[in-house]
Structure formats: C-alpha cells, structure tokens
Amino acid sequence: MPLPFLTADRAFDEAGEDLALPFDDRDQWRRPYRPGPWRVAAAALLLLLASYVLFAAVIVVAAGNRSGGVVFLGLAALVIVCALRLLRMGAWVSAYGLRRVRFLVTSTAPWAKVQTVRTVQQPVRWLGLPRTVQGQALVLIRSDRSGAEPTQLLTTHNADFLGRPDAFDRAADGVEVWADEYRGHA
C-alpha cells in the first residue's frame, strides 16, 4: 500500500498547497493558511513542558502524595489546553462569516456585516509583543461599527507569517477572495 504523503520524492506545488479541496464543506470553519513555524514551535514547547509536568505528577503519586499529583495533573491539563488554543489562533472563514480567534476571545463577523477586507501598510506588533514594526496587516472593516478602529486579522510579523512574506500574501489573498465571494451572497 503506497503512502504518498510519507514519501520524500513527492513533488509539492507551493502555490497550491494552501488551497481548499473542491469536496471540502464550505460551511465548516477553516483557516485558509497553515499555522506558522513560530506558533507551532511555541505549542511544541508547551507540550514538552506538559509532558514533564505529567511525569512529575506520576512521581508525586508514586511517592504517596495523591493531592499533589492531582495538582500537577491539573497544571499539565492547563498547559495542554493553552498549547491547543495557541494553535487555533488566527483568522477562520466559512460560508457564515469571518472569525478572529485570539488566545482568550473569539469574535465572528457575519458576511452581511463585513464592509471590506483589505491589506494595508501600517505599524504592526512583532509576535504580539508591545514592540511595533512597519509591516502589512489584513484588516476587517465592519459595516455595523462605523468609526471603529479596523480589526487586524493577520500581520506580516505575527507568529504565522514572521519571515514568510509570500505566505502572508497567499493567506491575505485567500481571505479577501472568501470575503469578495460571500459578501455578495449575504
């Protein structure tokens, strides 16, 4: 049984690898790009930390302290949940609307309330830290919030696109295409 996804000789089409498959359900929420290496590395480090905490929980329980083991088990579960939430962060699209998932908050804008989605040149945060650098951002302007600050969906310096400007361009184009296609139907 050949496993083409495991072979090293498979040719990858870099431009088409982030595209949705034609049989995919467009009503399901999907991220139109892959998580970046910085985001994946941070989540991997958190999962590594969780494995050490789980090992500590086993040692503490083996030493006879069940309540301490439960505390370590709860801490490991919290770290695992944080790692998974970190991987879910980003912009998600479906036929229903546009969703911005942050670490603690998720907000959804139905396509009927999306006025425009566009790429702008502006100062952006570097890896979400307070330091700002000049970069590009994909911003969402909602029709139901006139005068409000545009919402940044993606930036060239966040954990998904730092050092990968081509990936940012593909992802921004993908979200803009979804917006153009579904704003007319709403």
Side-chain angles (χ1 to χ4, degrees):
M1 177 172 84
L3 298 173
F5 58 90
L6 295 179
T7 60
D9 59 348
R10 182 175 169 198
F12 291 103
D13 179 20
E14 188 67 31
E17 98 184 5
D18 290 337
L19 298 177
L21 297 174
F23 55 84
D24 282 343
D25 184 12
R26 295 178 76 75
D27 290 331
Q28 297 234 347
W29 290 101
R30 73 181 74 217
R31 183 186 353 225
Y33 57 92
R34 293 185 174 164
W38 289 92
R39 185 173 309 283
V40 172
L45 286 175
L46 283 174
L47 291 174
L48 181 66
L49 174 67
S51 69
Y52 285 120
V53 173
L54 284 171
F55 188 65
V58 169
I59 291 173
V60 168
V61 168
N65 187 353
R66 287 183 185 240
S67 62
V70 169
V71 169
F72 276 106
L73 184 65
L75 181 62
L78 178 68
V79 172
I80 291 170
V81 166
C82 288
L84 294 176
R85 188 64 183 183
L86 184 67
L87 287 173
R88 283 198 47 89
M89 290 173 58
W92 294 72
V93 293
S94 78
Y96 174 72
L98 183 58
R99 181 172 282 175
R100 179 182 180 211
V101 178
R102 292 183 284 176
F103 192 72
L104 295 175
V105 179
T106 299
S107 59
T108 303
W111 291 119
K113 296 184 180 184
V114 172
Q115 183 176 354
T116 183
V117 176
R118 66 174 184 237
T119 305
V120 296
Q121 189 85 16
Q122 67 181 32
V124 295
R125 290 180 154 199
W126 184 78
L127 289 177
L129 298 171
R131 177 179 177 221
T132 60
V133 294
Q134 191 64 26
Q136 290 183 350
L138 182 70
V139 296
L140 163 69
I141 299 173
R142 295 178 58 146
S143 59
D144 59 342
R145 296 183 185 164
S146 62
E149 185 77 19
T151 305
Q152 285 187 2
L153 299 172
L154 310 171
T155 68
T156 53
H157 289 79
N158 70 4
D160 290 321
F161 303 109
L162 185 65
R164 301 180 336 140
D166 294 337
F168 173 79
D169 291 338
R170 280 195 312 272
D173 290 344
V175 174
E176 288 173 357
V177 165
W178 274 80
D180 289 340
E181 181 177 342
Y182 281 100
R183 267 184 306 175
H185 294 118

